[in-house]
Amino acid sequence: MSQAALTSQPFKKGIENTNYKILVIIGICHLLNDSLQAVVPAMFPILEDSMGLTFTQLGIIAFSLNMVASVMQPFVGVVTDKKPMPYALPIGLTSTLIGVFGLAFAPSFIWIVFSVLFIGLGSAVFHPEGSRVAHMAAGTRRGLAQSIYQVGGNTGQALAPVITALILVPLGQKGAAWFIIVAAMAVFLLVYIANWYTQKLQLDVKSVKRKGQSAVSAENPFTRKIVLYLVLLLFLIFARSWYVSGITNYYAFFAIESYDFSIEKAQGFLFAFLVAGAVGTFFGGPLADRFGKRNVIFFSLIGTAPFSILMPFVSPTIAFIILTITGFILMSSFSVTVVYAQELVPGKIGLMSGLTVGLAFGMGAIGSIVLGYLADQIGIVLTIILTGFLPLLGVLTLLLPNDTAKKGMA
């Protein structure tokens, strides 16, 4: 009987309690990991000035980071689904630590690219296994557990404007060295998590042997119907990712052109969107536990659409309010889609996490390139207007099975 099969079993109500201590620690580690990843784009203005890098070179750096950090996640998930690797977590963050050190002291463009590859590798290892830890510690509160875990990551990403303003602008490239301490803290916490993870696996093995239970794990869970539902879910995640990518990468340019904002003021609007998104991520899980995961996914997209369509046509004050509301509603489904996929394909916790989080971010990176090209062709204002219609694709959520039907399929 494999450990992967054991860890994929649903926890039974009353037998396993939600381990909030572990969830909070893994959430903090997610915050630290994603804030380290956020250092890279936050450094772009610094690197452009100190090294004279072109926008093409900056694009290569961003592409290198995102592709390694996101596209590798499903592959890591496949490996760890077969054989859970608790100590991959601190080892992965050690790779990030090396990358941050290299980023702070890199003498040239090529060394920066190598450094971000280490950061991306660490992130690719962390996310699937971190999601598995949240799943193992969830008890019966899977939506809440993923929310606690994912809100840490979204908060870390939201710190990018703060990192730029408070640390990198006054200290320059070498200011990134302060984040070596952050990485070391994450490694320390993840050693504790890895010890708990190992003990949990051993306890599960003993419990199953003592009760004479058998671990049920389908050899081929990917039936044609399941694959179609999974493709549809990923399509909805891509639509959400493309909208978020459009706002985070290009709304500042829209605000500068439409409202005659300064860069700092435009960044403030973006910060509000990201913080509201982090709050929405937290509340989405408990709402899904209460009202159903498909319902929350549907509402997060369709509920966003009226605001996203209206936003380009209102005054700056109303736009700020709409951005905040939009961030909260849209990102309420972030953790929910992860849990929905994990329940749709039970026994593939790491792979589903890698697909719904990692691959989605990779598609978001591609979306930023497409939207950037569109902005060059038709202008930034029209691009933001068209982007506002993406959440309407959420109507396709009605084609997914509800929670009851999904459990019957599993």
Side-chain angles (χ1 to χ4, degrees):
M1 187 183 302
S2 69
Q3 287 181 330
L6 291 170
T7 58
S8 69
Q9 289 186 339
F11 294 125
K12 294 185 178 179
K13 189 174 181 179
I15 296 177
E16 291 287 351
N17 295 319
T18 304
N19 192 326
Y20 290 101
K21 179 180 178 181
I22 292 298
L23 290 174
V24 169
I25 293 174
I26 197 65
I28 291 172
C29 290
H30 200 180
L31 186 153
L32 297 177
N33 178 85
D34 283 28
S35 65
L36 292 169
Q37 197 170 332
V39 170
V40 178
M43 283 191 68
F44 281 179
I46 309 301
L47 296 174
E48 181 190 19
D49 180 61
S50 64
M51 290 189 174
L53 299 184
T54 65
F55 286 113
T56 299
Q57 288 174 313
L58 293 176
I60 291 172
I61 294 171
F63 183 81
S64 301
L65 174 69
N66 288 327
M67 286 299 101
V68 173
S70 60
V71 174
M72 280 193 63
Q73 284 191 39
F75 296 101
V76 173
V78 168
V79 172
T80 55
D81 280 336
K82 293 180 179 179
K83 183 176 177 57
M85 300 178 183
Y87 288 93
L89 285 163
I91 292 172
L93 255 292
T94 300
S95 172
T96 299
L97 188 154
I98 295 170
V100 171
F101 180 86
L103 190 63
F105 300 102
S108 64
F109 166 70
I110 191 66
W111 280 105
I112 290 174
V113 172
F114 276 124
S115 297
V116 301
L117 289 177
F118 275 97
I119 295 174
L121 178 61
S123 188
V125 172
F126 172 81
H127 281 98
E129 282 299 89
S131 183
R132 189 190 308 280
V133 168
H135 181 86
M136 293 172 68
T140 58
R141 306 292 302 276
R142 291 182 181 174
L144 174 62
Q146 280 295 328
S147 287
I148 294 172
Y149 169 65
Q150 298 293 351
V151 76
N154 287 357
T155 303
Q157 294 163 28
L159 291 175
V162 178
I163 292 170
T164 301
L166 299 183
I167 299 177
L168 299 179
V169 169
L171 298 179
Q173 180 182 348
K174 288 184 172 56
W178 284 101
F179 291 92
I180 296 173
I181 300 173
V182 175
M185 288 172 54
V187 171
F188 176 79
L189 290 173
L190 287 173
V191 169
Y192 177 85
I193 289 289
N195 288 332
W196 173 85
Y197 187 165
T198 302
Q199 293 171 8
K200 185 71 170 63
L201 291 176
Q202 293 171 347
L203 287 173
D204 284 347
V205 171
K206 291 178 181 178
S207 177
V208 170
K209 287 181 178 179
R210 183 174 64 251
K211 296 176 182 179
Q213 295 172 331
S214 60
V216 179
S217 179
E219 291 297 324
N220 183 21
F222 294 102
T223 64
R224 186 180 177 209
K225 184 180 289 188
I226 294 276
V227 169
L228 289 175
Y229 288 144
L230 185 58
V231 169
L232 176 56
L233 179 66
L234 291 176
F235 179 77
L236 294 168
I237 293 171
F238 295 162
R240 184 186 66 201
S241 298
W242 277 42
Y243 180 78
V244 172
S245 179
I247 295 299
T248 55
N249 287 297
Y250 302 111
Y251 183 80
F253 297 101
F254 169 84
I256 291 169
E257 181 173 329
S258 299
Y259 303 135
D260 197 27
F261 276 5
S262 64
I263 296 176
E264 291 79 9
K265 192 170 184 178
Q267 288 292 319
F269 275 52
L270 177 58
F271 183 67
F273 174 80
L274 293 171
V275 170
V279 176
T281 297
F282 176 77
F283 282 99
L287 288 172
D289 287 335
R290 182 179 178 85
F291 298 108
K293 298 171 185 65
R294 190 188 70 168
N295 294 338
V296 170
I297 296 171
F298 175 79
F299 175 74
S300 75
L301 288 161
I302 295 301
T304 295
F307 297 104
S308 63
I309 293 171
L310 179 64
M311 185 177 60
F313 305 102
V314 299
S315 66
T317 302
I318 301 299
F320 182 88
I321 295 171
I322 287 179
L323 265 176
T324 304
I325 295 172
T326 299
F328 179 89
I329 296 176
L330 184 66
M331 296 305 289
S332 65
S333 66
F334 190 89
S335 61
V336 180
T337 50
V338 179
V339 179
Y340 187 95
Q342 290 174 343
E343 293 181 352
L344 187 64
V345 189
K348 303 293 181 182
I349 304 301
L351 174 58
M352 291 303 104
S353 172
L355 285 174
T356 54
V357 179
L359 196 56
F361 274 117
M363 289 303 295
I366 295 174
S368 66
I369 297 173
V370 174
L371 293 174
Y373 176 79
L374 190 63
D376 286 335
Q377 299 302 311
I378 65 175
I380 189 65
V381 174
L382 187 54
T383 298
I384 292 296
I385 291 173
L386 293 176
T387 302
F389 287 89
L390 281 170
L392 286 176
L393 294 171
V395 71
L396 297 175
T397 305
L398 296 175
L399 299 176
L400 291 172
N402 60 29
D403 290 16
T404 303
K406 178 160 52 65
K407 287 179 180 177
M409 293 168 57

